[in-house]
């Protein structure tokens, strides 16, 4: 059976161009990028050009892009690194209740170190209100972190406005752009953000590499201590081939972004129309503009929690519950509870996330499978 992959928000397959670009750096050009001999310089130059290309894609300077091992590390570094570098100014941080665990749990961890965290609520579309941010700001607030786009329901947050508000109050602003990057074209200078996290495996790049954009002049403590790699801010021998793959994949994603988005939005619309039913409702911002092109969060009302997802898997369709990261646990999704779902309904929810590699046939087959499952469940077996 051909499996239909509709879980691009969890991870994407590596694109062929990135694989081809990486291969020489896994074999022939294996040297340490910091070695001064000939081969070392070849590696070093590859990392330089990866950094340049990534910087260009997001509107940053090369010197503002720092490689990390993942989006999670970039998030953790941003939150903890800023907290510790600014603890003499204050110990209050504002974030949202729908953040990815990488941000949320970094904040929870900081509580043990005496930091105070305000978690902003969202409306039933998953949107943070500017008014709420205003009201949460205190004299001792040092950082506001709001995700660019949510990984479960796809809602895009008004980060430019929140960032402006932060700066009016002399507060640093971080955004987790891991889910947004590759689906939304942005420019860090235009957004004005101080820190921004990304991860290669969400835009058809390799797993195991991410990056943190740190605006020039922003003081941050290291998270990973070590040698002089990443201008002394992040230790660890640079995985040259991963930087090459990340840069290649991001370049392609940005080049094709309009074409891909148009195509993916078409597939998404088709899936939404095809599975509409009295027992189906759509979470979040389904018909609005400010939602990621490929993400659909679907509530299957009147079903046993988890049963639709399980039946989809049997039918060869790879979707997920709220998010892949929470799949192993039994905890209800913070995002789905945040937009007002009951615990039971959060477990009746399935996330489909479509990618540029999906076909119209994939969507047709998914619609048929969903219809069959719903019919069977309605008959009570
Ligand atoms: C996937 C994801 C992360 C984590 O990135 P990893 O590279 O898998 O650690 C962080 N934030 C969001 C919004 C994500 O979707």
């Amino acid at each position: 059976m051909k499996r239909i992959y509709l879980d691009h928000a969890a991870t994407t397959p590596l694109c062929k161009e990135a694989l081809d670009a990486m291969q020489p750096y896994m074999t022939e050009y294996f040297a340490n990028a910091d070695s001064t001999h000939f081969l070392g310089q070849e590696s070093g130059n590859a990392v330089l050009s990866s950094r340049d290309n990534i910087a260009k894609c997001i509107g940053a300077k090369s010197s503002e892009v720092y490689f990390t091992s993942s989006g999670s590390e970039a998030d953790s570094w941003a939150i903890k690194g800023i907290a510790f570098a600014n603890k003499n100014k204050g110990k209050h941080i504002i974030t949202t209740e729908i953040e990815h665990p990488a941000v949320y749990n970094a904040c929870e961890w900081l509580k043990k170190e005496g930091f105070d965290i305000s978690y902003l609520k969202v409306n039933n579309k998953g949107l943070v209100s500017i008014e709420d941010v205003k009201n949460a700001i205190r004299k001792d607030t040092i950082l506001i972190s709001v995700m660019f786009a949510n990984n479960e329901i796809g809602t895009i947050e008004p980060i430019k406005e929140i960032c402006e508000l932060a700066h009016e109050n002399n507060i640093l602003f971080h955004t987790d752009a891991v889910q947004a990057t590759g689906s939304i074209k942005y420019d860090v200078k235009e957004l004005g953000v101080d820190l921004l996290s990304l991860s290669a495996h969400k835009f058809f790049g390799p797993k195991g590499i991410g990056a943190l954009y740190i605006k020039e002049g922003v003081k941050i403590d290291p998270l990973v201590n070590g040698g002089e790699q990443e201008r002394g801010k992040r230790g660890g021998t640079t995985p040259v081939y991963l930087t090459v793959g990340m840069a290649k994949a991001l370049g392609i994603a940005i080049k094709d972004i309009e074409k891909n988005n148009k195509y993916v939005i078409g597939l998404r619309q088709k899936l939404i129309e095809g599975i509409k039913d009295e027992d189906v409702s759509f979470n979040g911002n389904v018909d609005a503009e400010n939602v990621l092109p490929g993400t659909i969060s679907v509530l299957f009302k009147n079903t046993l929690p988890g049963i639709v997802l399980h039946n989809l898997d049997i039918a060869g369709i790879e979707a997920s519950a709220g998010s892949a990261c929470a799949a192993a646990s039994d905890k209800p999704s913070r995002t789905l509870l945040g937009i007002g779902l009951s615990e039971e309904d959060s477990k009746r929810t399935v996330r489909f996330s479509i990618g540029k590699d999906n076909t119209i046939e994939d969507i047709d087959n998914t619609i048929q499978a969903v219809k069959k499952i719903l019919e069977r469940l309605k008959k009570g077996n």
Side-chain angles (χ1 to χ4, degrees):
M1 176 168 47
K2 178 185 172 266
R3 310 284 307 181
I4 299 175
Y5 188 76
L6 294 176
D7 202 13
H8 291 81
T11 195
T12 55
L14 182 65
C15 67
K16 168 102 176 39
E17 294 88 340
L19 177 64
D20 290 346
M22 284 160 69
Q23 233 142 18
Y25 295 95
M26 302 168 87
T27 50
E28 199 175 340
Y29 297 105
F30 61 87
N32 190 314
D34 291 317
S35 295
T36 52
H37 46 64
F38 175 81
L39 278 179
Q41 287 178 36
E42 291 287 312
S43 292
N45 287 337
V47 175
L48 272 181
S49 98
S50 299
R51 202 188 305 280
D52 277 350
N53 289 333
I54 291 166
K56 273 199 201 97
C57 286
I58 64 168
K61 294 184 195 169
S62 287
S63 56
E64 296 172 316
V65 173
Y66 295 83
F67 288 114
T68 64
S69 66
S70 61
S72 297
E73 186 193 323
D75 282 340
S76 220
W77 182 17
I79 303 288
K80 295 184 192 178
I82 290 297
F84 283 106
N86 291 279
K87 64 177 189 296
N88 294 331
K89 289 190 201 143
K91 287 189 137 191
H92 181 233
I93 294 171
I94 300 171
T95 185
T96 80
E97 59 180 3
I98 64 164
E99 294 299 315
H100 186 275
V103 167
Y104 191 89
N105 290 334
C107 288
E108 284 291 286
W109 186 89
L110 281 174
K111 279 188 185 168
K112 290 185 288 189
E113 301 292 314
F115 288 85
D116 193 13
I117 317 291
S118 295
Y119 294 104
L120 301 170
K121 294 203 173 310
V122 293
N123 71 7
N124 66 348
K125 306 284 184 202
L127 278 172
V128 174
S129 106
I130 307 284
E131 220 32 55
D132 287 352
V133 181
K134 252 184 216 159
N135 292 333
I137 291 175
R138 309 192 318 215
K139 276 210 173 62
D140 60 340
T141 309
I142 50 171
L143 174 69
I144 300 178
S145 177
V146 175
M147 70 200 319
F148 201 146
N150 181 268
N151 46 306
E152 292 182 49
I153 55 176
T155 304
I156 299 168
E157 301 294 345
I159 58 162
K160 191 172 179 206
E161 288 77 4
I162 300 172
C163 179
E164 276 166 15
L165 187 58
H167 289 169
E168 280 164 23
N169 290 278
N170 255 321
I171 299 165
L172 293 168
F173 183 79
H174 164 253
T175 190
D176 171 352
V178 173
Q179 200 62 231
T181 305
S183 296
I184 302 171
K185 196 165 163 55
Y186 59 81
D187 180 300
V188 287
K189 300 297 170 202
E190 207 219 327
L191 292 172
V193 298
D194 301 295
L195 305 115
L196 176 145
S197 314
L198 40 154
S199 175
H201 76 94
K202 298 288 173 77
F203 49 77
F204 300 87
K207 293 173 201 20
I209 184 160
L212 183 62
Y213 159 77
I214 307 174
K215 188 159 75 187
E216 199 167 85
V218 170
K219 296 213 164 31
I220 188 165
D221 281 10
L223 182 71
V224 179
N225 297 103
E228 282 306 303
Q229 296 93 352
E230 302 301 303
R231 280 86 76 217
K233 285 198 167 75
R234 196 270 185 189
T237 301
T238 313
V240 181
Y241 67 102
L242 293 176
T243 72
V244 169
M246 180 174 188
K248 191 72 186 176
L250 186 56
I252 291 170
I254 300 294
K255 177 169 73 64
D256 296 340
I257 201 160
E258 269 143 40
K259 184 183 80 185
N260 288 341
N261 283 356
K262 199 164 161 233
Y263 174 69
V264 169
I265 288 170
L267 295 182
R268 178 172 178 277
Q269 216 46 45
K270 187 177 172 62
L271 181 57
I272 289 173
E273 289 304 321
I275 63 175
K276 273 189 180 157
D277 183 278
E278 56 186 7
D279 281 338
V280 165
S281 69
F282 298 95
N283 297 320
N285 235 338
V286 75
D287 295 318
E289 295 261 287
N290 44 349
V291 64
L292 289 176
T295 309
I296 318 173
S297 174
V298 189
L299 167 58
F300 291 95
K301 297 179 272 191
N302 305 317
T303 60
L304 275 176
I307 192 145
V308 175
L309 189 64
H310 177 67
N311 278 280
L312 283 169
D313 194 22
I314 292 170
I317 293 157
E318 328 257 23
S320 75
S323 71
C325 324
S329 81
D330 212 26
K331 281 199 201 139
S333 139
R334 269 184 288 103
T335 297
L336 297 176
L337 296 184
I339 60 169
L341 263 61
S342 67
E343 195 168 314
E344 290 269 285
D345 277 352
S346 77
K347 292 177 180 175
R348 293 186 175 103
T349 289
V350 174
R351 176 188 68 187
F352 298 98
S353 43
I354 303 166
K356 63 174 168 115
D357 50 344
N358 285 125
T359 61
I360 294 176
E361 202 188 2
D362 288 345
I363 302 302
D364 279 332
N365 291 339
T366 303
I367 293 168
Q368 293 318 316
V370 170
K371 281 188 170 159
K372 257 193 225 159
I373 292 168
L374 283 179
E375 263 168 45
R376 252 202 338 264
L377 292 176
K378 276 181 218 218
K379 281 192 211 132
N381 51 38

